């Protein structure tokens, strides 16, 4: 799936590019959409690290010559491992050298793995190698580990495993406009439903408006102090006063400020926002 295009994925791409140049072959990645779990368990509310646009951008900027994006549908899920190798990798993609991750399985009932590829390689005319896991604090880096870190508010750990700062992008939409009444006007971001939001709470972020970076403090939650019900994603942009309703902005997560808090009064909320602003302003970006 290459969800996140994290350091583990990047090690595969690095090896791919080195071999393609050394053997004068064309480099290509085959990935899927939607996530197989959405096909196997449609009711599973799985959130992903990347939207399809983000994944394509992250993969394409790694000097690949080809990106194949295959729809993961019923026909495709029912291919056995051997059928996938022969029908897709060999007949369609003409693979000559195949690189897979350390724990990769494929095909119906996970019938394909590194052993099958080693067996079929000589018969079908390709070489295969397996890339070792990339470790972070004694853990194998994986999309699941990064999702868990984000869901726990461990932004720095998630960013270190990704190799870049986790981000969200969305259109600025109208909210309740309570922030402007207390001196902290926020941009309410409409985030793609498939995208994983980090744990509820407040964060130090970079905000990109028309490709210009600003410091910001972002809140994910229900605004319990004013009896909010729906989860919103709102960002206060430091030293910024422009009207950006309807515009698309991006936010890069830097650090976790604190858990979501229900305050006794708006005055207590403002006191906390003042502290958050001071910490954000002093943060080394």
């Amino acid at each position: 799936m290459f969800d996140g295009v994290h350091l583990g994925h990047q090690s595969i791409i690095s090896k791919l590019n080195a071999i393609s140049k050394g053997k004068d072959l064309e480099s290509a990645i085959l990935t899927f959409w939607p996530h197989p779990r959405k096909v196997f368990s449609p009711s599973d509310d799985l959130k992903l690290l990347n939207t399809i646009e983000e994944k394509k951008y992250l993969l394409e900027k790694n000097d690949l010559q080809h990106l194949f994006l295959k729809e993961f549908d019923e026909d495709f899920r029912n291919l056995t491992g051997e059928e996938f190798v022969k029908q897709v990798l060999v007949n369609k993609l003409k693979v000559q050298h195949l690189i897979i991750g350390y724990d990769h399985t494929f095909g119906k009932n996970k019938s394909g793995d590194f052993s099958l590829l080693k067996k079929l390689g000589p018969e079908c005319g390709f070489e295969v190698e397996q890339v070792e896991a990339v470790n972070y604090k004694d853990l194998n880096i994986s999309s699941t580990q990064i999702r868990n870190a984000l869901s726990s508010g461990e932004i720095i750990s998630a960013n270190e495993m990704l190799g870049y700062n986790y981000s969200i992008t969305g259109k600025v939409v109208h909210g309740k406009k309570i922030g402007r009444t207390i001196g902290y006007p926020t941009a309410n971001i409409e985030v793609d439903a498939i995208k994983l939001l980090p744990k509820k709470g407040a964060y130090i972020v970079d905000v990109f408006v028309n490709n210009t970076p600003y410091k910001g403090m972002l809140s994910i939650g229900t605004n319990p102090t004013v009896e909010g019900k729906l989860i919103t994603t709102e960002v206060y942009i430091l030293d910024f006063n422009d009207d950006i309703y309807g515009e698309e902005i991006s936010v890069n997560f830097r650090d976790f400020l604190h858990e979501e808090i229900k305050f006794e009064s708006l005055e207590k909320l403002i006191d906390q926002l003042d502290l958050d602003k001071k910490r954000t302003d002093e943060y080394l970006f």
Side-chain angles (χ1 to χ4, degrees):
M1 268 302 291
F2 286 91
D3 188 31
V5 193
H6 54 61
L7 290 180
H9 297 138
Q10 291 168 39
S11 74
I12 293 175
I13 296 170
S14 177
K15 173 74 77 173
L16 172 70
N17 285 336
I19 289 171
S20 68
K21 289 171 184 172
K23 294 190 171 188
D24 196 25
L25 298 172
E26 295 182 39
S27 61
I29 277 184
L30 171 63
T31 186
F32 317 107
W33 196 268
H35 195 290
R37 273 171 58 183
K38 289 290 186 182
V39 177
F40 294 130
S41 306
S43 60
D44 187 351
D45 189 29
L46 174 68
K47 301 296 184 182
L48 301 180
L49 301 173
N50 299 143
T51 64
I52 185 66
E53 293 81 10
E54 290 169 346
K55 182 162 82 163
K56 286 168 68 176
Y57 168 75
L58 289 167
L59 289 171
E60 287 169 348
K61 78 173 191 174
N62 278 280
D63 296 326
L64 294 169
Q65 290 170 283
H66 303 283
L67 173 61
F68 295 104
L69 188 62
K70 177 71 181 76
E71 181 183 4
F72 196 90
D73 54 19
E74 284 295 327
D75 289 339
F76 193 66
R77 71 175 282 189
N78 284 315
L79 290 177
T80 66
E82 185 164 341
E83 288 170 338
F84 170 71
V85 171
K86 292 181 176 179
Q87 294 178 26
V88 179
L89 299 184
V90 176
N91 293 346
K92 290 188 177 179
L93 299 185
K94 315 297 183 189
V95 66
Q96 292 187 45
H97 197 111
L98 182 66
I99 303 166
I100 65 168
Y102 72 97
D103 61 348
H104 187 60
T105 58
F106 57 93
K108 188 174 182 180
N109 299 323
K110 298 186 177 180
S111 54
D113 56 14
F114 184 59
S115 298
L116 177 68
L117 292 169
K118 290 287 283 186
K119 172 177 169 287
L120 293 177
E123 174 189 334
C124 297
F126 65 82
E127 296 179 70
V128 61
E129 63 182 284
Q130 196 169 36
V131 174
E132 293 299 316
V134 176
N135 292 322
Y136 174 79
K137 296 182 178 178
D138 298 325
L139 294 172
N140 292 339
I141 292 177
S142 68
S143 303
T144 299
Q145 291 289 358
I146 296 168
R147 289 189 203 108
N148 290 342
L150 291 169
S151 297
S152 300
E154 298 168 12
I155 293 299
I156 291 175
S157 294
N159 288 345
E160 288 178 349
M161 288 188 280
L162 285 167
Y164 60 89
N165 294 328
Y166 189 66
S167 68
I168 58 172
T169 297
K171 187 167 70 172
V172 177
V173 296
H174 291 277
K176 293 184 177 179
K177 300 182 175 62
I178 293 171
R180 66 175 58 184
T181 68
I182 58 174
Y184 283 94
T186 59
N188 196 310
I189 307 171
E190 187 176 59
V191 183
D192 192 305
I194 199 69
K195 183 80 173 179
L196 176 70
L197 289 175
K199 175 182 178 178
K200 288 181 185 178
Y203 296 86
I204 296 172
V205 297
D206 296 301
V207 187
F208 292 85
V209 182
N210 296 320
N211 296 318
T212 301
Y214 300 88
K215 291 184 177 183
M217 45 201 229
L218 178 138
S219 169
I220 298 172
T222 59
N223 297 308
T225 303
V226 292
E227 306 300 329
K229 302 297 181 187
L230 300 176
I231 292 179
T232 59
T233 305
E234 302 175 48
V235 62
Y236 170 74
I237 309 173
L238 277 65
D239 304 314
F240 185 85
N241 296 303
D242 294 357
D243 182 352
I244 52 173
Y245 284 116
E247 292 189 31
E248 189 170 85
I249 65 173
S250 294
V251 172
N252 288 0
F253 288 83
R254 291 293 194 128
D255 209 344
F256 184 69
L257 279 168
H258 55 77
E259 308 269 349
E260 183 177 48
I261 305 169
K262 181 173 182 177
F263 295 95
E264 303 169 353
S265 64
L266 286 178
E267 288 73 22
K268 295 284 187 183
L269 170 60
I270 293 168
D271 288 343
Q272 183 64 57
L273 289 170
D274 290 342
L275 288 174
D276 292 349
K277 183 178 179 181
K278 185 174 186 295
R279 280 187 61 188
T280 301
D281 206 27
E282 294 173 349
Y283 193 85
L284 294 177
F285 277 70

